[in-house]
């Protein structure tokens, strides 16, 4: 059964040779970009568009059309490519609408070569946008997945390409629009109205046919026989289906992209926000905006003042924007201080290089002048930093109280009104991040769900940031408390019955820390102790991974045996490697590598030094996990300038009963499902 995705949801791909089918109701431009492991485009040679329709493993249409078929061969992608983004844009200069809000919601489907639908996504919530990233195919740990994106851009292709890292997106956007303009006369008109059952996929899969014995006809030109282009996959495909526009030959010529001014949204007809299969859509709610500020003052911050189709997504994007703003602000300050230091050193070297300046007061005067300039530059940089920090702190004061439970700290009052959610949130908070120049300004560390990596709570002894050492037993206790807090949060943000937690505690040393999970009854089973318990849990989870992988690869994800729990699984492992034999270690590595793609996640509470006897054998295990610490530690770096951020876990305040209350609510909701 095909997966019907919603925005942000992903789905594994069991095939590498695919078609991406687009139905937009009005002529649109289809393009695709290739991205590296960070999602950045290396250059215009990584963009497939109507002017350059073929790249290795990728082919797009040469003209604007209401329906498109993009050919993708993931096995032919260069090794440096980790992401393929599918883009849709309204053609400029045409008589059609200039914004997606004036047309029906575009529909995108990923299918096999035989036309079997793998996943589909209806892009709802668009308004003034004239370009949109529809979906992306991305590589994670050697396996490919598809994710529904639906990110729109009012500035069109130029703004979209700029956001993906192309320095000259305006030039490339102009090239694409110019190529589209030459082919507008050949654009395919809108398909006929949908059938009463509302199934749009079947209509996009089969073109209108002419008289008996003739080939497919171009809609809007009755009786005209469409040319039969070659397919990159030979003659395979659905009978009667229109093949891609050109063969899979050659590669794109290098070019460069940049940015243009956002296009003003044009007026259009009535907007249909309804889902083509559910008919229950509604117009997106506009993001709140800050009231105008008095002259010379910053605008007062407003929670949710960011792009997004829901309040949750707007808050997520706002938190991410605060993180990026703080990183760049601090980079500017540090760069200014470095410049002031180097300038002072240069001026002192010049003053002291002349022997005559060393006699009398000339050298002292030069030294004082250099130091005064240095102090002036540093003070100016600090004043700019303090101004930006004050603005970010004011925004944080507004945003923090408005965060939903998944994003909120345990001390947030939102937990006192907690109810088990009906949907999985976009992300979950695992702690706070801050920089040494502004330790009081904390940015929530939000990690997207479902987790794509396991977690490692490091219980190893190390010197803390203030130079003190923590007793090893106390550090292990703090690590277990951190693990329990993270597990409780994951249980709380998932709908009832859609997240299960298992615990391996070979020596039973975590009994005290696990009391909140055990006494409330939220664990899938009592904590496993001893070597036999370790073997039993690992065997069951390994078998689950094998079964789900086989079902997904065989296209029978809905045909799992009745006893297989389809909920996301979290395995907490304490005191590794105690109680683990070589086979158990191999199974644990297997779960760390293969588990996340099929909903099995690890949370290791361990000291790496305890497993030093295994040597480099376990290095891949540690690298595959996200390292978190029970105490503040500056081991995380941002993707822009590489600042060392101090991480602090999100823990329950001492004496608070919020954790027990939340877990009790989770257990009660589970009981109602039985």
């Amino acid at each position: 059964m095909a997966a019907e995705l919603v925005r942000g949801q992903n789905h594994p791909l069991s095939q590498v040779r695919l078609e991406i089918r687009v139905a937009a109701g009005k002529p649109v431009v289809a393009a695709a970009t290739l991205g590296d492991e960070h999602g950045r485009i290396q250059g215009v040679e990584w963009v497939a568009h109507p002017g350059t329709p073929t790249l290795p493993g990728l082919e797009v249409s040469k003209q604007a059309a209401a329906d498109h078929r993009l050919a993708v061969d993931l096995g032919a992608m260069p090794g440096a490519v980790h992401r393929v983004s599918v883009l849709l844009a309204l053609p400029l200069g045409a008589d059609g609408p200039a914004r997606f809000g004036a047309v029906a919601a575009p529909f995108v489907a990923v299918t096999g070569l035989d036309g079997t639908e793998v996943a589909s996504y209806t892009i709802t919530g668009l308004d003034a946008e004239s370009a949109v990233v529809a979906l992306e195919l991305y590589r994670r740990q050697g396996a490919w997945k598809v994710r529904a994106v639906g990110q729109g851009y009012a500035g069109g292709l130029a703004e979209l390409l700029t956001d993906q890292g192309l320095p000259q997106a305006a030039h490339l956007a102009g090239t694409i629009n110019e190529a589209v303009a030459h082919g507008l006369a050949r654009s395919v008109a809108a398909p006929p109205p949908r059938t009463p059952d509302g199934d749009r996929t079947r209509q996009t899969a089969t073109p209108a046919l002419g008289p008996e014995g003739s080939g497919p006809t171009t809609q809007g030109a009755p009786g005209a026989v469409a040319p039969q282009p070659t397919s990159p996959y030979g003659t395979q495909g659905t009978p009667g289906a229109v093949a891609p526009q050109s063969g899979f030959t050659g590669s794109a010529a290098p070019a460069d992209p940049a940015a243009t001014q956002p296009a003003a949204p044009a007026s259009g007809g009535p907007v249909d926000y309804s889902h083509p299969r559910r008919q229950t859509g509604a117009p997106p709610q506009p993001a709140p905006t800050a009231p105008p500020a008095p002259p010379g003052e910053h605008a007062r911050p407003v929670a949710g003042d960011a792009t997004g189709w829901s309040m949750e997504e707007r808050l997520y994007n706002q938190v991410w924007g605060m993180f990026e703003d703080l990183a760049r602000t601090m980079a500017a300050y540090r760069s200014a201080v470095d410049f002031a230091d180097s300038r002072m050193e240069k001026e002192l070297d010049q003053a002291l290089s002349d022997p005559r300046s060393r006699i009398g007061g000339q050298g002292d005067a030069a030294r004082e002048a250099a130091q005064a300039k240095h102090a002036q530059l540093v003070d100016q940089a600090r004043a700019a930093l303090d101004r930006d920090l004050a603005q970010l702190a004011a925004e944080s004061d507004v945003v923090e109280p408005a965060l939903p439970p998944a994003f909120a700290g345990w001390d947030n009052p939102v937990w006192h009104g907690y109810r088990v959610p009906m949907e999985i949130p976009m992300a979950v908070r695992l702690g706070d991040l801050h920089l040494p120049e502004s330790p009081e300004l904390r940015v929530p560390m939000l990690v997207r769900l479902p987790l794509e990596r396991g977690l490692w709570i490091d219980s190893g002894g190390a010197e803390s940031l203030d130079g003190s050492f923590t007793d090893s037993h106390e550090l292990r206790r703090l690590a277990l408390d951190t693990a329990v807090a993270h597990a409780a949060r994951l249980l709380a943000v998932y709908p009832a019955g859609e997240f299960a937690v298992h615990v391996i505690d070979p020596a039973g040393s975590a009994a005290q820390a696990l009391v909140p999970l055990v006494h409330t009854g939220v664990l899938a089973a009592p904590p496993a102790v001893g070597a036999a318990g370790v073997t039993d849990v690992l065997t069951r989870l390994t078998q689950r991974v094998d079964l789900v992988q086989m079902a997904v690869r065989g296209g029978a994800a809905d045909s799992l045996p009745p006893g297989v729990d389809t909920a996301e699984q979290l395995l907490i492992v304490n005191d590794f490697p105690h109680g683990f034999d070589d086979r158990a270690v191999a199974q644990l590595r297997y779960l760390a590598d293969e588990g996340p793609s099929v909903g099995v996640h690890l949370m290791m509470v361990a000291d790496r030094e305890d497993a030093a006897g295994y040597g480099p054998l376990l290095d891949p295990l540690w690298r595959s996990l996200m390292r978190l610490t029970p105490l503040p530690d500056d081991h995380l770096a941002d993707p822009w300038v590489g600042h060392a951020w101090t991480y602090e876990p999100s823990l329950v305040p001492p004496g608070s009963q919020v954790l027990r209350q939340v877990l009790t609510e989770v257990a009660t909701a589970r009981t109602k499902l039985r």
Side-chain angles (χ1 to χ4, degrees):
M1 181 177 177
E4 190 173 332
L5 305 180
V6 297
R7 189 172 187 178
Q9 187 178 4
N10 59 37
H11 185 75
L13 296 173
S14 58
Q15 308 173 52
V16 295
R17 305 175 78 181
L18 304 163
E19 281 188 346
I20 298 175
R21 302 181 179 184
V22 178
K26 295 287 184 180
V28 297
V29 181
T33 61
L34 307 180
D36 58 19
E37 62 269 28
H38 303 296
R40 312 298 287 182
I41 306 172
Q42 297 295 320
V44 294
E45 66 272 17
W46 279 27
V47 182
H49 57 84
T52 308
T54 59
L55 295 179
L58 181 62
E59 181 183 30
V60 302
S61 305
K62 291 184 178 180
Q63 62 185 27
D67 293 336
H68 288 275
R69 292 192 180 191
L70 285 65
V72 180
D73 186 355
L74 299 174
M77 292 290 170
V81 173
H82 290 259
R83 185 171 301 176
V84 181
S85 299
V86 177
L87 322 178
L88 303 179
L90 295 170
L92 298 180
D95 294 332
R99 59 191 185 95
F100 275 109
V103 302
F107 176 81
V108 187
V110 180
T111 72
L113 297 186
D114 59 354
T116 303
E117 188 174 299
V118 178
S120 64
Y121 173 44
T122 302
I123 311 172
T124 58
L126 298 178
D127 188 8
E129 297 86 351
S130 58
V132 61
V133 180
L135 52 78
E136 63 183 15
L137 314 178
Y138 63 102
R139 192 193 333 236
R140 188 75 64 193
Q141 297 180 349
W144 285 91
K145 294 183 178 182
V146 58
R147 176 186 288 123
V149 180
Q151 177 64 53
Y153 296 84
L157 279 173
E159 184 182 357
L160 187 156
L161 295 171
T162 300
D163 193 46
Q164 293 200 355
L166 284 171
Q168 296 177 355
H171 176 71
L172 181 59
T175 301
I176 295 173
N177 292 325
E178 188 175 324
V180 171
H182 291 310
L184 278 177
R186 297 177 285 123
S187 296
V188 182
R194 292 193 296 271
T195 55
D197 65 1
D199 190 346
R200 192 169 186 168
T201 308
R202 289 196 293 270
Q203 297 176 24
T204 62
T206 307
L209 298 178
E212 185 176 355
S214 67
T217 64
T218 303
Q219 300 191 33
V225 179
Q228 297 297 324
T230 59
S231 168
Y233 307 126
T235 59
Q236 300 181 29
T238 304
V242 177
Q245 310 296 357
S246 63
F248 234 164
T249 59
S251 59
D256 256 291
T260 59
Q261 296 299 324
S267 60
V271 183
D272 179 13
Y273 292 100
S274 60
H275 191 292
R277 296 182 182 175
R278 297 196 185 96
Q279 304 296 326
T280 57
Q285 297 299 318
T289 56
E297 295 184 14
H298 286 290
R300 286 175 290 179
V302 174
D305 189 9
T307 59
W309 75 307
S310 66
M311 189 60 173
E312 179 191 52
E313 185 175 359
R314 292 198 291 269
L315 287 169
Y316 174 84
N317 290 334
Q318 188 170 14
V319 169
W320 183 259
M322 292 166 56
F323 177 55
E324 183 174 354
D325 288 346
L326 181 55
R328 298 192 188 283
T329 295
M330 201 60 67
Y333 169 72
R334 292 178 179 179
S335 177
V337 172
D338 289 343
F339 171 76
D341 291 342
S342 62
R343 176 173 175 171
M344 182 178 68
E345 291 178 4
K346 182 179 179 180
E347 291 177 348
L348 290 176
D349 289 342
Q350 290 176 347
L352 298 178
S353 62
D354 186 354
R356 292 173 297 179
S357 65
R358 303 173 191 169
I359 303 174
Q362 187 175 355
D364 293 337
R367 185 181 298 107
E368 291 176 359
Q371 291 173 343
K373 290 179 181 178
H374 175 270
Q376 181 183 8
L377 290 174
V378 172
D379 289 344
Q380 290 176 351
R382 186 70 207 192
L385 175 65
D386 290 341
R387 181 189 64 239
D388 293 341
L389 291 179
Q391 180 69 10
L392 286 170
E395 187 173 11
S396 178
D397 291 342
V398 171
V399 170
E400 275 286 355
L403 293 177
F407 300 175
W410 285 110
D411 56 350
N412 193 311
V414 71
W415 286 107
H416 296 292
Y418 168 78
R419 292 295 181 268
V420 177
M422 300 298 292
E423 295 181 352
I424 301 173
M426 290 183 60
V428 66
R429 184 173 185 162
L430 294 182
D432 296 327
L433 299 171
H434 65 85
L435 292 170
E437 290 89 345
S438 57
E440 69 286 346
L441 180 57
R442 311 295 177 94
V443 179
M445 178 180 168
L446 304 181
V447 178
R448 291 297 295 264
L449 292 178
L451 296 174
E452 296 179 348
R453 299 175 63 189
L455 304 177
W456 166 29
I457 315 300
D458 191 355
S459 61
E463 185 178 357
S464 63
L465 293 179
D466 59 4
S468 63
F469 285 88
T470 304
D471 177 78
S472 61
H473 295 290
E474 177 66 12
L475 197 57
R476 291 178 187 273
R477 184 191 65 80
L478 292 173
L480 283 169
D481 289 343
T482 303
V484 169
H486 290 333
R489 182 182 289 270
L490 288 167
L491 282 165
V493 302
Y494 271 80
E498 294 191 20
F499 196 85
V501 176
H502 308 263
V503 177
I504 289 179
D505 185 24
S509 58
Q512 185 61 35
L514 295 173
V515 165
L517 298 177
V518 174
H519 284 190
T520 54
V522 294
L523 293 180
V529 296
V534 171
T535 301
D536 178 62
V537 173
L538 292 177
T539 300
R540 284 190 287 109
L541 290 179
T542 301
Q543 289 175 348
R544 182 193 182 279
V545 171
D546 290 339
L547 286 171
V548 176
Q549 281 187 338
M550 288 189 292
V552 171
R553 291 168 182 168
D558 294 332
S559 302
L560 291 168
V564 177
D565 186 1
T566 57
E568 297 276 316
Q569 309 287 316
L570 175 68
L571 173 61
I572 302 176
V573 179
N574 183 44
D575 273 352
F576 177 79
H578 304 300
F580 284 75
D581 55 20
D582 291 344
R583 183 171 183 272
V585 170
Q587 289 176 318
L588 197 66
R589 285 189 55 187
Y590 176 74
L591 292 178
D593 293 337
E594 304 294 334
S597 63
V598 291
V600 177
H601 313 282
L602 280 184
M603 184 185 292
M604 303 276 292
V605 183
D607 179 0
R608 189 169 182 173
E609 291 300 320
D610 292 341
Y614 287 93
L617 176 67
L618 291 181
D619 287 350
L621 172 64
W622 304 117
R623 287 196 298 266
S624 69
L625 304 175
M626 179 189 296
R627 178 175 175 258
L628 303 176
T629 54
L631 294 175
D633 189 79
D634 58 351
H635 65 284
L636 297 176
D638 63 73
W640 302 289
V641 291
H643 290 318
W645 291 78
T646 298
Y647 165 81
E648 289 191 33
S650 180
L651 299 177
V652 180
S656 173
Q657 297 297 314
V658 64
L659 187 66
R660 188 177 295 274
Q661 294 171 2
V662 168
L663 292 178
T664 301
E665 190 75 22
V666 171
T668 302
R670 286 187 173 186
T671 303
K672 294 178 181 178
L673 292 177
R674 296 169 184 168

